[in-house]
Amino acid sequence: MKMIDMTKAARTLAANKYVLLVLAAGLALLAWPSAAEGADTGGGDALAATGTALTTEAERLADFLENTEGVGKAQVLLSSEGAVVVCDGADSAAVRYAVTGAVGAYTGLGSDKITIIKMK
């Protein structure tokens, strides 16, 4: 068996330290869990519910939104894919912004999954 020359090994490692650093960073990123592998995506309690429980959560959220200034009467439709809010105050940008923020905070949905519509 051949003995490893430690000084030669140390020089080789020193010469390739940046390559080894990038390799280690890549391996760390590969080991990081992703949402596709079933990691928690931060969704709220409302989206964990199903069936009538989801309807109850939508009613609770509608009651809460109706107590927000400018919203007026509100109805909420929730699913695991998104949320639709129909309310009297949807013609105001400030109300739409507030409603989107409240629904997002409650459900964990992003603003791209929340639609605010004016009630007729």
Side-chain angles (χ1 to χ4, degrees):
M1 268 172 72
K2 208 177 199 184
M3 292 295 288
I4 298 176
D5 183 14
M6 294 305 270
T7 57
K8 184 177 178 184
R11 277 186 272 141
T12 303
L13 285 175
N16 296 312
K17 63 184 171 187
Y18 295 113
V19 173
L20 293 172
L21 182 62
V22 169
L23 181 62
L27 289 174
L29 287 173
L30 286 174
W32 196 279
S34 69
E37 295 173 359
D40 184 15
T41 57
D45 291 337
L47 297 183
T50 58
T52 57
L54 194 56
T55 303
T56 303
E57 294 301 322
E59 291 170 356
R60 287 181 57 201
L61 184 56
D63 289 341
F64 174 79
L65 291 173
E66 287 177 352
N67 291 317
T68 303
E69 184 177 348
V71 173
K73 184 163 175 45
Q75 293 179 339
V76 178
L77 178 62
L78 289 178
S79 75
S80 61
E81 300 297 317
V84 177
V85 178
V86 181
C87 65
D88 289 329
D91 53 348
S92 166
V95 170
R96 286 193 310 271
Y97 181 76
V99 169
T100 301
V103 172
Y106 184 73
T107 62
L109 293 169
S111 61
D112 60 326
K113 302 285 185 182
I114 301 169
T115 302
I116 314 298
I117 302 172
K118 172 95 172 126
M119 188 176 281
K120 63 176 180 175

